[in-house]
């Protein structure tokens, strides 16, 4: 059934597009450099990497869970791929593969913990607890292994690897191309496969999904692996873009991931939302942060404003859920 003009206007994605455009105009007036080619290139390069991370978070929240570990997983996997390349001289493709395997292991641990303890615990509680643990442990491991020092990955030593994060192809930042590929795969998986229907079904009603014969444990286990792999891929791309792996990279990214998902209209109770909304949400959040920095607003105020945005988004999200019910 085709969408009417009224229905299109009322969609949350339409409002987000308008908000992003308004922000670009506002910051462009306040700081003309914001709309320069170099600035926009950097914005969309970062938005692409954060978008891959946020799509991973979207999978988890759609299934009725939550993941607090994206920032720590990004920091840890960034250090791992950097260490493999610089210290152990592993070939770049093999280093990426081994790092993604680490992501699979992290996701499998999250999925195992979640499926084994839900029930008897409430649906969201196991994922909250295990990913909170990964947030703390992952950050600590990254700091301990490097004693807080960065691992350099220079274009001279690793030209192909650094191109993945900092290069351009067809006039587009390479991370943006990766984001488009990931988005296409995710849209197909969510809307054109039984797996996607199961993810929405479990998030919408765990009991109804169980009665329908959906393999809840297998689906949720797969969701956490997918999310951790996407977090790991984002960590790899950030290391490639920065030409270095910093143990503090990813700090606070869980805030960006969850706020982007909430702003994008994905129900925090699960079962509702689109990856498009998430991508628009992450564009909005990162544009605000970049614009505030470029207009010389204190970084402490930037964090406060981001937190207020998250609280507002969660409030609107919950209000809409209550109103629908």
């Amino acid at each position: 059934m085709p969408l009417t003009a009224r229905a299109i206007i009322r969609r949350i994605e339409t409002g987000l597009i308008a908000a992003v455009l308004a922000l670009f105009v506002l910051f462009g007036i306040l700081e003309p450099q914001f709309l320069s080619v170099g600035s926009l290139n950097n914005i969309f390069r970062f938005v692409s990497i954060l978008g891959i991370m946020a799509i991973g978070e979207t999978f988890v929240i759609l299934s009725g869970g939550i993941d607090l570990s994206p920032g720590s997983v990004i920091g840890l996997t960034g250090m791992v791929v950097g260490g493999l390349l610089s210290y152990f001289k592993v070939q770049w493709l093999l280093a990426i593969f081994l790092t993604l395997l680490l992501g699979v292991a992290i996701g499998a641990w999250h999925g195992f913990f979640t499926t084994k303890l839900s029930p008897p615990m409430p649906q969201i509680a196991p994922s909250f607890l295990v990913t909170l643990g990964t947030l703390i442990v992952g950050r600590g491991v990254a700091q301990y292994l490097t004693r807080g020092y960065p691992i350099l990955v220079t274009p001279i030593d690793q030209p192909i690897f650094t191109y993945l994060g900092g290069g351009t192809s067809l006039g587009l930042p390479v991370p943006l191309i990766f984001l488009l590929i990931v988005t296409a795969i995710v849209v197909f998986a969510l809307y054109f496969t039984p797996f996607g229907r199961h993810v929405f079904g479990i998030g919408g009603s765990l009991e109804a999904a169980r009665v329908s014969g959906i393999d809840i444990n297998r689906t949720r286990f797969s969701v956490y692996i997918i999310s951790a792999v996407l977090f790991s891929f984002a960590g790899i791309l950030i290391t490639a873009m920065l030409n270095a792996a910093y143990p503090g990279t990813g700090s606070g990214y869980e805030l960006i991931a969850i706020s982007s998902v909430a702003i994008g209209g994905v129900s925090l109770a699960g079962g509702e939302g689109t990856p498009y909304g998430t991508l628009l949400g992450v564009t909005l959040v990162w544009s605000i942060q970049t614009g505030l920095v470029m207009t010389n607003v204190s970084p402490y105020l930037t964090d406060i404003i981001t937190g207020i945005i998250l609280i507002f988004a969660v409030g609107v999200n919950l209000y809409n859920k209550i109103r629908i019910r």
Side-chain angles (χ1 to χ4, degrees):
M1 184 173 166
L3 289 174
T4 63
R6 180 185 178 90
I8 292 174
I9 292 174
R10 295 183 64 179
R11 286 186 66 88
I12 191 168
E13 291 89 350
T14 304
L16 286 171
I17 291 172
V20 169
L21 292 176
L23 271 177
F24 272 62
V25 171
L26 174 63
F27 285 126
I29 294 173
L30 296 176
E31 176 51 70
Q33 188 64 27
F34 181 83
L35 295 179
S36 68
V37 175
S39 174
L40 292 177
N41 192 325
N42 289 331
I43 289 173
F44 285 109
R45 197 177 296 276
F46 255 109
V47 163
S48 299
I49 296 174
L50 296 177
I52 292 172
M53 171 195 70
I55 287 178
E57 186 71 39
T58 300
F59 262 102
V60 175
I61 292 180
L62 282 176
S63 69
I66 194 167
D67 196 325
L68 302 177
S69 69
S72 291
V73 174
I74 284 174
L76 178 61
T77 54
M79 300 301 293
V80 168
V81 73
L84 289 173
L85 291 169
S86 296
Y87 295 158
F88 298 98
K89 307 302 179 184
V90 176
Q91 197 267 348
W92 69 271
L93 197 57
L94 178 58
I96 290 175
F97 176 74
L98 293 175
T99 305
L100 293 177
L101 277 184
L102 174 61
V104 171
I106 294 172
W109 163 239
H110 291 170
F112 173 80
F113 190 95
T114 300
T115 55
K116 289 300 179 182
L117 292 181
S118 179
M121 297 177 69
Q123 182 176 355
I124 201 172
S127 60
F128 178 90
L129 292 174
V130 70
T131 58
L132 176 62
T134 301
L135 183 156
I136 299 169
V137 172
R139 183 68 61 204
V141 170
Q143 294 283 354
Y144 175 77
L145 291 178
T146 61
R147 300 299 189 271
Y149 290 99
I151 301 173
L152 300 181
V153 185
T154 65
I156 296 175
D157 297 328
Q158 297 291 340
I160 298 178
F161 178 79
T162 53
Y163 173 79
L164 299 178
T168 57
S169 179
L170 303 176
L172 299 174
V174 174
L176 178 56
I177 296 175
F178 283 128
L179 175 64
L180 295 175
I181 295 171
V182 168
T183 302
I185 294 172
V186 167
V187 168
F188 177 79
L190 284 177
Y191 298 108
F192 299 99
T193 68
F195 171 75
R197 292 191 290 273
H198 293 173
V199 170
F200 281 106
I202 292 171
S205 173
L206 197 62
E207 290 305 315
R210 182 177 289 109
V211 171
S212 301
I214 294 175
D215 191 332
I216 294 173
N217 286 346
R218 184 173 66 180
T219 302
R220 298 181 79 186
F221 192 83
S222 301
V223 161
Y224 285 98
I225 289 179
I226 292 170
S227 66
V229 167
L230 290 177
F231 299 158
S232 302
F233 188 39
I236 291 168
L237 291 178
I238 284 184
T239 299
M241 181 183 68
L242 299 178
N243 297 338
Y246 298 92
T249 299
S251 178
Y253 280 14
E254 55 279 347
L255 178 65
I256 295 176
I258 296 173
S259 60
S260 299
V261 172
I263 291 170
V266 178
S267 171
L268 296 179
E272 299 174 16
T274 68
Y276 319 115
T278 294
L279 294 181
L280 289 169
V282 77
T283 303
L284 184 69
V285 171
W286 190 251
S287 298
I288 290 173
Q289 291 199 351
T290 304
L292 292 174
V293 169
M294 293 187 68
T295 51
N296 296 319
V297 174
S298 168
Y300 303 107
L301 288 178
T302 301
D303 291 339
I304 293 173
I305 292 171
T306 304
I308 292 173
I309 291 171
L310 174 58
I311 294 171
F312 177 77
V314 171
V316 171
N317 199 307
L318 294 176
Y319 170 77
N320 288 335
K321 190 74 174 178
I322 295 171
R323 182 175 57 84
I324 291 171
R325 287 182 176 177

